[in-house]
Amino acid sequence: MQQPIAILDSGVGGLTVAKEVMRQLPREKIIYFGDTARTPYGPRPADEITRFTREIVDYLIQYRPKMIVIACNTATAVALEDIRSRVAVPVVGVIHPGARAANSSTQTGVVGVIGTEGTISSGAYENALKQLSPTIEVVSLACPRFVTLVEQGNFRSEETFNTVKTSLGSLQAGNLDTLILGCTHYPFLAETIGEVMGKDVRLISSDGETAREISTILHDRNRLERAEDMP
């Protein structure tokens, strides 16, 4: 029986990662869990986020996944190592893939990171970027209102534009040329974020890089689905 890749998030945001995994690895079976009943995770204390993530993983294990993907930046920042210590399958987060993509992108050496309060306060992106390039300058900003807009399906409206413009105002004066969308909900607002930040700032979403990491890990373990394996 084909074992799935299990993907979890605090809500609908992780669907951006699931979509990219399906695009890059179309033969793989995907199980997705979005914790819409308890979203958002960003303002919650770390122990609560860890408990929620454990509960979801305990539920997903019944499907015998060959890999677990924590497609939530806040849960990755807080609970990734805890989950890795509790399960026997590979566990992938979204922070290091996003940091690698941003480090490869920047020309000025100044990278912005926007995310939930939990992700930003953890310093996870700054730590990941500094590991890759110790001289890089990281400008971080929490944008808690973005998740609510996405969960409401409010991707393009005057309210959305005004919220994004007000939230990102402090980033526009800097020398950053790369901006990490440090929450998997944020790509749904990428068009508006791009308008506000301008064409000289490249937006980085971790979905594509995460899917490539998943592919690499499964390939190294000889667990990628092949055409001859399909029914």
Side-chain angles (χ1 to χ4, degrees), residues 26-37:
R27 297 190 180 100
E28 297 294 336
K29 181 179 179 181
I30 304 293
I31 292 178
Y32 183 84
F33 188 106
D35 192 7
T36 53

Side-chain angles (χ1 to χ4, degrees), residues 2-198:
Q2 183 181 1
Q3 288 181 264
I5 299 170
I7 302 175
L8 65 95
D9 183 60
S10 63
V12 302
L15 291 172
T16 58
V17 176
K19 180 181 179 181
E20 188 62 23
V21 172
M22 293 169 69
R23 187 187 72 81
Q24 292 191 32
L25 303 171
R27 297 190 180 100
E28 297 294 336
K29 181 179 179 181
I30 304 293
I31 292 178
Y32 183 84
F33 188 106
D35 192 7
T36 53
R38 299 184 291 195
T39 197
Y41 279 14
R44 296 182 181 275
D47 58 346
E48 190 171 43
I49 296 167
T50 299
R51 177 167 61 85
F52 289 173
T53 308
R54 286 178 178 179
E55 290 171 356
I56 296 169
V57 169
D58 288 346
Y59 172 80
L60 291 171
I61 285 296
Q62 68 179 304
Y63 297 101
R64 298 181 62 247
K66 60 184 174 183
M67 172 179 282
I68 294 170
V69 181
I70 303 179
C72 170
N73 286 267
T74 305
T76 297
V78 172
L80 177 64
E81 295 307 321
D82 176 83
I83 299 301
R84 281 177 171 168
S85 71
R86 293 168 61 87
V87 299
V89 298
V91 183
V92 173
V94 288
I95 288 177
H96 281 274
R100 283 197 300 271
N103 185 60
S104 298
S105 168
T106 185
Q107 299 297 313
T108 65
V110 182
V111 174
V113 181
I114 55 175
T116 67
E117 300 103 310
T119 298
I120 298 303
S121 65
S122 74
Y125 268 107
E126 184 170 1
N127 292 337
L129 286 161
K130 292 286 188 181
Q131 287 175 9
L132 296 168
S133 179
T135 61
I136 203 165
E137 182 180 343
V138 184
V139 183
S140 301
L141 179 67
C143 300
R145 297 173 66 188
F146 288 8
V147 170
T148 302
L149 290 171
V150 172
E151 289 291 331
Q152 293 172 344
N154 190 3
F155 308 146
R156 295 284 291 172
S157 69
E158 184 177 356
E159 177 194 2
T160 300
F161 182 84
N162 290 336
T163 299
V164 171
K165 185 175 182 179
T166 301
S167 299
L168 300 184
S170 63
L171 294 180
Q172 293 175 289
N175 192 35
L176 65 88
D177 65 348
T178 301
L179 179 63
I180 298 175
L181 306 183
C183 172
T184 48
H185 285 73
Y186 292 4
F188 287 101
L189 305 178
E191 189 173 349
T192 302
I193 293 171
E195 288 178 9
V196 170
M197 294 303 298

